[in-house]
Amino acid sequence: MKIAVFCSGRGTNLQAIIEAVKCGEIKAEIALVISDNRDAYALVRAKEAGIETLVIEPKDFPTRKDFEKEIIKHLERKKIDLICLAGFMRMLSPDFVQRYRNRILNIHPALLPSFKGTQGVKDALEYGVKITGPTVHFVDEKVDHGPIILQAAVEVRDDDTEETLAERIHQEEHRIYPQAIKLFVEGRLKIEGRRVKILNETNNK
Ligand code: GRF
């Protein structure tokens, strides 16, 4: 199975996925890393791991359709089976989502359906929740909305700042994102409406 990871920033989740592939935990190949931002540190991480990288920036295309057409061209060239969004700060169009239906995963730094959007850590902290944590989910046409695969609970401490809380959420992200990808690769995720059932390792039941 071939994976493409889409990143816009630091790429610490990409790193966790790279390591899980390297140690054989995920039996798949990261065939491509795509960034919409040429300065993303994720690109450095991918190159160091010997993975093909591509910078595809929306400003170089007249429309979002053209931007996505370019992305699709490369996904097809590399025969990509699974797309993992890892800090990719861009919405994919309904057409794109339909083309790769149930083959796009995302990680969000809050317990969905709470605190959707780009400031999931800050919003949870300001709201005053006592428990937050990351969510790995399938991507559908709506923002941070598709069926949930895995979540992890992170306690909010009285003295937390956005940075200290984000740090602990990241540690859990790096644990559950590779785990969710492994389950996908092993064919152990069964989507039933909004629910994702995790099939048994041995008999897939
Ligand atoms: C993570 O917090 C993830 O939940 C969110 O974007 C961030 C990406 O971090 N979608 P990194 O680039 O993987 O370090």
Side-chain angles (χ1 to χ4, degrees):
M1 186 172 294
K2 290 186 166 196
I3 302 175
V5 185
F6 290 13
C7 305
S8 304
R10 287 197 306 162
T12 63
N13 280 285
L14 168 66
Q15 192 68 49
I17 301 164
I18 290 173
E19 267 143 43
V21 168
K22 214 190 278 177
C23 76
E25 187 63 15
I26 298 174
K27 291 187 178 40
E29 179 199 349
I30 307 172
L32 193 56
V33 168
I34 295 182
S35 181
D36 61 340
N37 165 20
R38 65 182 59 252
D39 298 322
Y41 189 70
L43 292 166
V44 176
R45 297 178 192 272
K47 281 181 193 145
E48 276 172 5
I51 300 165
E52 180 180 335
T53 61
L54 279 174
V55 175
I56 305 179
E57 293 183 314
K59 68 173 175 50
D60 296 330
F61 300 88
T63 64
R64 177 161 81 166
K65 205 175 166 70
D66 295 305
F67 165 69
E68 290 187 349
K69 217 167 134 191
E70 179 69 10
I71 294 179
I72 290 165
K73 184 177 94 190
H74 291 283
L75 296 177
E76 288 183 347
R77 173 176 61 84
K78 297 294 281 188
K79 299 191 167 44
I80 296 297
D81 305 292
L82 171 68
I83 297 165
C84 297
L85 309 183
F88 187 64
M89 303 306 285
R90 201 159 291 281
M91 266 290 285
L92 296 167
S93 72
D95 280 352
F96 188 100
V97 171
Q98 269 154 34
R99 179 182 282 258
Y100 288 93
R101 164 95 43 222
N102 299 338
R103 291 192 291 145
I104 312 174
L105 308 186
N106 182 42
I107 183 141
H108 180 74
L111 292 173
L112 293 174
S114 292
F115 311 114
K116 295 177 179 177
T118 56
Q119 306 206 41
V121 178
K122 185 166 181 269
D123 292 346
L125 187 64
E126 284 177 358
Y127 194 87
V129 296
K130 300 294 185 187
I131 307 272
T132 184
T135 301
V136 182
H137 63 97
F138 284 102
V139 171
D140 68 7
E141 287 81 352
K142 296 187 200 155
V143 182
D144 298 331
H145 177 268
I148 291 170
I149 302 168
L150 292 175
Q151 295 186 302
V154 173
E155 215 172 313
V156 181
R157 296 176 185 155
D158 288 348
D159 60 354
D160 261 330
T161 61
E162 191 185 337
E163 289 69 35
T164 58
L165 180 57
E167 171 60 32
R168 294 203 309 290
I169 292 172
H170 259 99
Q171 283 171 19
E172 289 301 299
E173 291 188 357
H174 301 159
R175 188 175 65 77
I176 68 168
Y177 207 2
Q179 199 182 331
I181 296 168
K182 174 184 163 74
L183 291 168
F184 181 96
V185 168
E186 292 174 357
R188 291 171 57 199
L189 299 177
K190 188 169 178 219
I191 305 175
E192 291 180 358
R194 277 215 53 89
R195 298 184 69 188
V196 179
K197 295 201 175 150
I198 297 175
L199 303 176
N200 194 295
E201 200 167 355
T202 45
N203 54 12
N204 274 16
K205 280 193 185 129

